[in-house]
Amino acid sequence: MPHVVLTGTESTYKTRLCEALSEWLNVRSVPEYAREYMQENKLDVTALNEAVFTTIATGQIEQLRSNGYYDVHAAPLLFDTDGVTLAVWAADKFQRVDEEFSVVPQHLHYLLCAPTNRAYDDPLREDLTRRTELHQRYVDMLDAVNASYTILNEVAFEDRLLEAKSALKSWGFTPRD
């Protein structure tokens, strides 16, 4: 079974979905490195510069590697973001293109969370007014790398969770005992 990556703009239920789907499927989830790093180091978005981004990107890529992201034979996992997020972030904030961020193994399926829900303020979010524009960048990126993905459009979390479960079932994912 392939891995599943939740991706998309800020405040679109990615983390909550990752946790709920992990419980439903009874598979491990891998959290977003950037949020952990920023919280651990007591940083907010005003501290984000290219050096901090590089540290986060290095940590995210290492976290992917150490959790079997690139291994087609690894047990299925859920990832709360991956290199696609880094690629969109780097291009948007630093006009930087790094090929390593956009390497997408063919055994991944993406759940791309659309910005149809209400955004929630958080000190680690800075682009809540640009979610539609950034969402299109995710679509463009996933199309460019020929990734397998489903866009989750439901507004309410519970409806989006059902939409995600339906997508996973269509890909052959079923809850494990």
Side-chain angles (χ1 to χ4, degrees), residues 33-82:
Y33 184 83
R35 179 167 285 280
E36 288 183 341
Y37 178 84
M38 301 276 287
Q39 287 174 333
E40 182 179 303
N41 290 284
K42 297 178 178 30
L43 302 174
D44 64 18
V45 293
T46 62
L48 185 63
N49 57 37
E50 198 160 0
V52 171
F53 172 80
T54 299
T55 300
I56 289 169
T58 301
Q60 180 72 48
I61 297 298
E62 179 52 38
Q63 182 170 288
L64 295 174
R65 279 193 188 110
S66 66
N67 282 285
Y69 173 87
Y70 298 99
D71 184 358
V72 70
H73 302 294
L77 294 171
L78 290 164
F79 290 87
D80 183 354
T81 74
D82 72 347

Side-chain angles (χ1 to χ4, degrees), residues 6-47:
L6 285 107
T7 197
T9 66
E10 299 172 321
S11 196
T12 54
Y13 303 129
K14 292 181 303 292
T15 298
R16 284 181 63 197
L17 285 168
C18 196
E19 291 166 356
L21 293 170
S22 172
E23 185 176 318
W24 176 67
L25 290 169
N26 194 27
V27 299
R28 192 166 58 84
S29 66
V30 179
E32 176 186 16
Y33 184 83
R35 179 167 285 280
E36 288 183 341
Y37 178 84
M38 301 276 287
Q39 287 174 333
E40 182 179 303
N41 290 284
K42 297 178 178 30
L43 302 174
D44 64 18
V45 293
T46 62

